[in-house]
Amino acid sequence: MENILKIKNLNLFFGKYQALYDINLALKPKSMLALVGESGCGKTMTAMSIIKLIPKTANIKSGEIIFKGEDLLLYKEKQMRKLRGNKIALIPQDPMTSLNPLYTIGNQLIEAIRTHNDVSERQALRKAKEVLDLVSIPDIENKLNYYPHELSGGMKQRIIIAMALACNAELIIADEPTTALDVTIQKQIMDLIDEIKNEFGTTILLISHDLALVSNYADYVSVMYSGHIVEKAPADKFFKKPIHPYSMALLNSLPSKNPNLKLKTIEGAPPSIQEEIFGCKFFPRCEYYKAGICDKKTPQLLEKEIYHYSACFIK
Ligand SMILES: Nc1ncnc2c1ncn2[C@@H]1O[C@H](COP(=O)(O)OP(=O)(O)O)[C@@H](O)[C@H]1O
Ligand code: SF4
Ligand SMILES: [Mg+2]
């Protein structure tokens, strides 16, 4: 199956400091790819590069972002605006970055629908109700008149998902969509995103620092560390036997993996982009580190087992 999205050798800088190194990602239609890693690894910058909403100080030096055969990096802002919220929808960590506090839910949905479709207000209203029903918003007639602040965090995320549905998004980028929510609500929102994938064939790029959450939903996993993809595999292979020492350390720090043991967290923190580290960026924290090998060159992402890639000299 052809990929709906392909990121090729994406390099992003803040001034002279590099935040993304030769990122390669491919998303198959109707699948969910999870991009995981600790905070600061470059997940959000990767996601924002796709819809070209990177900070003003960020600079994409090279790379391609091929969405349905076209390189979005060559698109003008006007073309991007057509794509955003239409073919490609973003579910951010904080729903208020997508909702306008000054307009009711109904008005925002109708506006979004009419921006992307040539329909009357009545048809848009009907569509709005339909998608609110799909995302299980109770008491829809009333909720249409609510302002965002009158809804809980989970309900607001449902509204944003409804907007993506209303505009027939083909790709949903969910950047830590449940991080701000209570644990019980987290599962409901993830179940809803998963249902949308299965029901409508929407492709999902799920960004998360939470491997336990990812293990329940993702079809493919790519692990990021310090601006590099260090491991990628189909989810079943990845969770059965992670190869890269960073992934192993992440998995070992999961409570479900180690119910009786004392949790082992990874010592230290990822480096900042200003920090210069020769060789493998993970070496200061790595159990398998070999001096003279790991600190000389950057390990390349290589296929170690069928469809299972790791960027490590040792593993
Ligand atoms: N506006 C910015 N200016 C400078 N550096 C930034 C900016 N935004 C992000 N960064 C840096 O880029 C790196 C990647 O950030 P990000 O993609 O947000 O990480 P993640 O989403 O994985 O937590 C981090 O080291 C972060 O400090
Ligand atoms: S290359 Fe070396 S330091 Fe890096 S993850 Fe592999 S063993 Fe650890
Ligand atoms: Mg982020």
Side-chain angles (χ1 to χ4, degrees), residues 50-51 67 72 83-90 169-171 173:
I50 300 169
I51 47 175
F67 178 68
L72 301 187
L83 213 64
R84 282 186 215 122
N86 188 15
K87 295 249 183 329
I88 305 179
L90 176 72
E170 293 176 44
L171 170 64
I173 301 172

Side-chain angles (χ1 to χ4, degrees), residues 90-121:
L90 176 72
I91 306 175
Q93 180 172 335
D94 173 8
M96 283 318 286
T97 56
S98 296
L99 294 172
N100 189 327
L102 302 177
Y103 293 94
T104 62
I105 299 308
N107 279 339
Q108 293 189 55
L109 269 168
I110 289 168
E111 163 89 18
I113 294 164
R114 295 195 71 192
T115 303
H116 300 295
N117 303 279
D118 185 19
V119 292
S120 70
E121 184 141 356

Side-chain angles (χ1 to χ4, degrees), residues 60-98:
I60 295 177
K61 280 255 169 84
S62 59
E64 289 171 43
I65 294 182
I66 312 291
F67 178 68
K68 300 180 77 178
E70 296 196 24
D71 187 353
L72 301 187
L73 292 183
L74 304 176
Y75 268 35
K76 301 212 163 44
E77 177 55 21
K78 201 172 151 203
Q79 293 169 290
M80 282 310 298
R81 236 178 281 146
K82 263 198 186 151
L83 213 64
R84 282 186 215 122
N86 188 15
K87 295 249 183 329
I88 305 179
L90 176 72
I91 306 175
Q93 180 172 335
D94 173 8
M96 283 318 286
T97 56
S98 296

Side-chain angles (χ1 to χ4, degrees), residues 39-40 42-45 93 175-176 207:
S39 176
K43 306 180 297 294
T44 295
M45 285 309 124
Q93 180 172 335
D175 190 356
E176 311 259 8
I207 291 178

